[in-house]
Amino acid sequence: MTGLATPPRDCPLCPRLAAFREEQRAAHPDWFNAPVPSFGDADAWLAIVGLAPGLQGANRTGRPFTGDASGALFYGTLLKFCLAEGEFRGESSDGLRLRGVYVVNAVRCVPPQNKPVPSEIHACRPFLDAELAALPALRVVIALGQIAHQSAIKAIGGKLPKYPFGHLAEHRLPNGIRLIDSYHCSRYNQNTGRLTPAMFEAVFTRAIECVT
Ligand code: SF4
């Protein structure tokens, strides 16, 4: 399923992102070019919080981590851990289904240079708050990168200074939900070796340990 709390297609809350969205609609009318809905299982025990749609990834295809270099590692890892079923082919029509997992971005609209500004992160957080609150079976959150980490903590009601970000850092949030941090699975982080497949798999191994 997609989108427990989905902003409207023409969400006006971030003027810079709305203008960029219009530019992309004019340049690429066949792309999705709208706030990208979340994706996954409404009975999820695990939520994965990403940063924002990639220009030629989720912004083009309409599904998180689909269409650019992040997807093969991201969904390949979910498939390896039996957290997804089907085949990932890099397009939203590939029929891939998630099992016990829900994927949501901290910011729903594509930002220029992949860099949302603080006001945009703040403006989009109510959608993240609502989505996490709507997952009754949620026990673990994986945050991909510092911004996702901060947004997830605020969404769940924690105080940032108590929870420093670090790859594989683990935090117990006030409501008992476990937060595990990971470096983002972006092309840059993969190409520079900041995040290897083994490092990414270690995050999911730990998430599963937390509930077994
Ligand atoms: S990033 Fe979120 S709050 Fe901002 S315009 Fe897009 S959907 Fe609306």
Side-chain angles (χ1 to χ4, degrees):
M1 70 160 296
T2 58
L4 295 169
T6 304
R9 182 170 168 79
D10 292 316
C11 181
L13 297 177
C14 306
R16 186 184 76 118
L17 301 190
F20 191 56
R21 204 168 57 206
E22 288 305 318
E23 274 176 39
Q24 298 308 319
R25 286 178 182 176
H28 307 285
D30 53 327
W31 289 9
F32 187 74
N33 290 325
V36 174
S38 305
F39 171 54
D41 182 350
D43 293 322
W45 63 269
L46 173 63
I48 304 172
V49 181
L51 170 58
L55 180 61
Q56 297 190 38
N59 176 64
R60 178 172 62 82
T61 64
R63 192 176 73 183
F65 298 103
T66 301
D68 60 17
S70 60
L73 176 59
F74 183 81
Y75 288 113
T77 303
L78 293 186
L79 284 162
K80 187 168 183 176
F81 282 83
C82 298
L83 297 170
E85 56 192 4
E87 187 186 355
F88 174 68
R89 294 198 305 271
E91 52 197 48
S92 56
S93 59
D94 59 14
L96 189 78
R97 290 162 56 92
L98 304 191
R99 300 173 58 189
V101 175
Y102 196 76
V103 183
V104 55
N105 275 328
V107 174
R108 304 302 176 92
C109 295
V110 58
Q113 281 86 48
N114 295 323
K115 289 195 173 85
V117 301
S119 62
E120 294 159 354
I121 299 164
H122 180 75
C124 214
R125 226 194 59 235
F127 299 111
L128 176 64
D129 298 359
E131 297 239 54
L132 295 182
L135 295 173
L138 183 64
R139 294 182 59 192
V140 180
V141 174
I142 291 174
L144 301 181
Q146 177 96 253
I147 290 173
H149 161 92
Q150 293 179 352
S151 287
I153 289 171
K154 289 179 182 171
I156 296 171
K159 299 264 185 277
L160 288 184
K162 287 180 68 176
Y163 308 105
F165 175 83
H167 186 77
L168 265 180
E170 194 173 317
H171 314 280
R172 186 175 282 278
L173 298 177
N175 57 3
I177 289 176
R178 198 76 65 111
L179 173 68
I180 303 173
D181 295 331
S182 172
Y183 293 138
H184 194 281
C185 52
S186 63
R187 178 201 298 267
Y188 179 83
N189 281 349
Q190 292 184 56
N191 287 351
T192 57
R194 184 172 174 85
L195 181 70
T196 64
M199 290 168 68
F200 201 49
E201 288 174 15
V203 172
F204 287 86
T205 297
R206 183 61 199 136
I208 291 168
E209 284 171 359
C210 288
V211 294
T212 52

